[in-house]
Amino acid sequence: MGNAEEIRATGVVLAAGAGTRLGRGPKALLPYRGRPLVESVAGALLDGGCREVVVVLGAGAPDVATIAELDRYRTVVNHEWQSGMGSSLLLGNADADPRDHLMVALVDQPGLTPGTVGRLLAAHRPGRLTAASYDGGNGTTRRGHPLIIDAALREAVAATVTGDAGARGFLRAHPELVDEVDCSDLSNGLDVDTPEQLYLLG
């Protein structure tokens, strides 16, 4: 019973970016397996065990809301999306139930699977941050998303969020609070920033 409380989480999809470098409109609407990418990422969070999912829209929000099927999720619009990812994280944090942990995911991470989400939720420990890590080559790993922010740390993390850095400042200041969970067998964890990467999405 106690463990069920510990893994009560709201997923937050940061989906406000314009995708300028790709030149294909909002990243949320990038095609992935025949559907907008935002549907895949939000679905992985919900199907993987998050209690609910908040999708933070921004650039092209009316188009995204019309084209993508987001009825299973709550959507909020970040009108300050040009200020960087941080404002979207703060908006998602404010919209989520204060009792929940936050699981933060990026909309441009097509490889996210329910299995990754479930593994992170199962590994999370109270009062800590839990981050997916992936194969970085040459025997190294690199930390990535999703990231679970414990309910008890949400206020402290939010106080450090600026610009496009998201939770990075807090993570750097408190490495002793971060648990990394290897998810290399489930995904490469890469995000989509170039037309070449978009082509490889399939």
Side-chain angles (χ1 to χ4, degrees), residues 25-118:
K27 279 192 171 183
L29 291 179
L30 291 176
Y32 182 60
R33 296 179 179 172
R35 296 299 307 162
L37 182 53
V38 65
E39 292 180 18
S40 175
V41 177
L45 290 175
L46 195 62
D47 297 342
C50 287
R51 191 177 62 81
E52 63 177 357
V53 174
V54 177
V55 179
V56 184
L57 304 177
D63 290 336
V64 178
T66 300
I67 296 169
E69 294 180 6
L70 300 174
D71 294 347
R72 299 169 68 201
Y73 324 108
R74 288 220 313 282
T75 58
V76 293
V77 178
N78 178 10
H79 298 287
E80 306 296 324
W81 63 268
Q82 288 175 300
S83 67
M85 183 175 63
S87 57
S88 291
L89 177 55
L90 291 175
L91 194 58
N93 179 56
D95 198 70
D97 189 313
R99 297 168 295 178
D100 283 11
H101 309 316
L102 283 193
M103 179 176 279
V104 182
L106 308 180
V107 76
D108 58 1
Q109 211 175 355
L112 182 61
T113 66
T116 298
V117 173

Side-chain angles (χ1 to χ4, degrees), residues 110-126:
L112 182 61
T113 66
T116 298
V117 173
R119 182 177 295 178
L120 292 172
L121 289 171
H124 183 69
R125 295 187 288 161

Side-chain angles (χ1 to χ4, degrees), residues 12 20 82:
V12 175
T20 309
Q82 288 175 300

Side-chain angles (χ1 to χ4, degrees), residues 111-154:
L112 182 61
T113 66
T116 298
V117 173
R119 182 177 295 178
L120 292 172
L121 289 171
H124 183 69
R125 295 187 288 161
R128 300 185 63 78
L129 299 151
T130 305
S133 67
Y134 303 95
D135 184 3
N138 299 318
T140 64
T141 59
R142 55 182 177 76
R143 188 171 66 213
H145 286 80
L147 168 72
I148 299 178
I149 302 171
D150 193 83
L153 295 175
R154 282 171 54 181

